Amino acid sequence: MTSTLPAGTSSAGVDAADGEASGLRLGAHIRRLRKGHGLTLVQVAEATGLSHPFLSQLERGLAQPSLGSLRRIAVALQTSPIELVAAADEPVADLPPVEIQRRDDPRGTTVPDGFASGSARLLAAASRPLHPVEISAAATSPGEAFQHPEDEFVYVVEGTVVLDLDGETRTLSVGDSAYYAGGVAHRWWSADGAPYRLVVVKQGSRRA
C-alpha cells in the first residue's frame, strides 16, 4: 500500500507531528488524573521523585518521559502503566460494536519488558469502558503495589502467581481468577520462578 502525504510534507515531518500530538494527549491525561485525585504538581513530584518543572512540561506535552518515569507516575496516580502508554494513542472515533484483535495485530497497545514487570498488551481500544490486558512476565519478587478507583478482574492463563491484595497473599494457578473492588492495593509475581501469563480486565479510568 502506498501512503499519500500532503504536498510539501515529508514523512519525517509527519512523524514529528504525530509525536507532538501523542505527547499532548499523554500530558492531558496525566493532568486529568492528577486533578481528579486532588493532587498538586508539587505533591506528585514528591511522590515520584521527579522534578516539579519536568512534570509541568510533561503535562503540557513539552517533555519526553522515560518508561521509568511513567511507571512512577502510574503508581502515584493510581493507574496502570499500560493505560498511561495507551493515553498517548490517537483516539478512535466511532468505535464499532465489535472489535477483533489478532495475536500479532500491530494496533494493540503494548508495554515493553521492564516497564511493568514484564510485557503487557491492551486487547481493545483504550477508549472502551473496559480495559482487557494480557500480561506476560516471570518476576519472582513483588514490585510496587497499584491501587486505583476502578474494579479489576484477573484470570491466570499460564503459570502460577502469588496475588497480593491489601497485604493478604493468595496463590493462583491456571484457571484460577480473582475479582477485587476499586481501592484494593494489588500486585503479583511468579510463585515458582516460571513465566506466567494473565488476562486482566479493568474498568476504564473515570474522568474528572
Side-chain angles (χ1 to χ4, degrees):
M1 180 183 297
T2 302
S3 64
T4 303
L5 300 176
T9 302
S10 67
S11 59
V14 171
D15 290 342
D18 288 345
E20 181 178 352
S22 294
L24 289 172
R25 286 191 292 267
L26 174 61
H29 184 69
I30 290 173
R31 181 170 56 249
R32 183 165 56 246
L33 287 176
R34 175 177 62 79
K35 290 186 175 181
H37 289 298
L39 298 173
T40 66
L41 280 171
V42 171
Q43 289 173 315
V44 176
E46 292 175 349
T48 60
L50 302 171
S51 71
H52 174 279
F54 169 75
L55 290 171
S56 177
Q57 289 186 323
L58 179 59
E59 288 193 355
R60 289 179 288 149
L62 301 177
Q64 182 69 33
S66 67
L67 292 178
S69 296
L70 281 181
R71 182 176 175 81
R72 282 186 269 173
I73 292 170
V75 174
L77 297 182
Q78 301 180 15
T79 188
S80 63
I82 195 170
E83 286 185 297
L84 286 186
V85 175
D89 292 343
E90 184 175 1
V92 179
D94 300 324
L95 287 169
V98 176
E99 178 181 350
I100 302 296
Q101 188 180 124
R102 303 297 181 185
R103 178 185 293 240
D104 57 353
D105 194 332
R107 295 174 302 168
T109 298
T110 59
V111 173
D113 290 342
F115 181 38
S117 299
S119 61
R121 181 167 64 103
L122 190 60
L123 302 177
S127 50
R128 298 282 189 187
L130 296 178
H131 290 171
V133 180
E134 180 186 60
I135 295 176
S136 301
T140 57
S141 59
E144 299 98 335
F146 288 88
Q147 187 178 28
H148 42 71
E150 300 81 22
D151 288 8
E152 191 165 89
F153 172 83
V154 175
Y155 180 83
V156 181
V157 178
E158 178 183 339
T160 304
V161 299
V162 178
L163 178 64
D164 179 353
L165 299 176
D166 273 345
E168 184 176 348
T169 60
R170 289 92 163 168
T171 300
L172 275 61
S173 301
V174 174
D176 294 342
S177 63
Y179 184 105
Y180 38 93
V184 174
H186 53 280
R187 56 185 176 176
W188 48 72
W189 58 93
S190 173
D192 54 11
Y196 61 84
R197 188 157 53 97
L198 311 174
V199 170
V200 180
V201 183
K202 175 182 170 295
Q203 290 178 310
S205 298
R206 298 163 189 163
R207 298 196 172 191

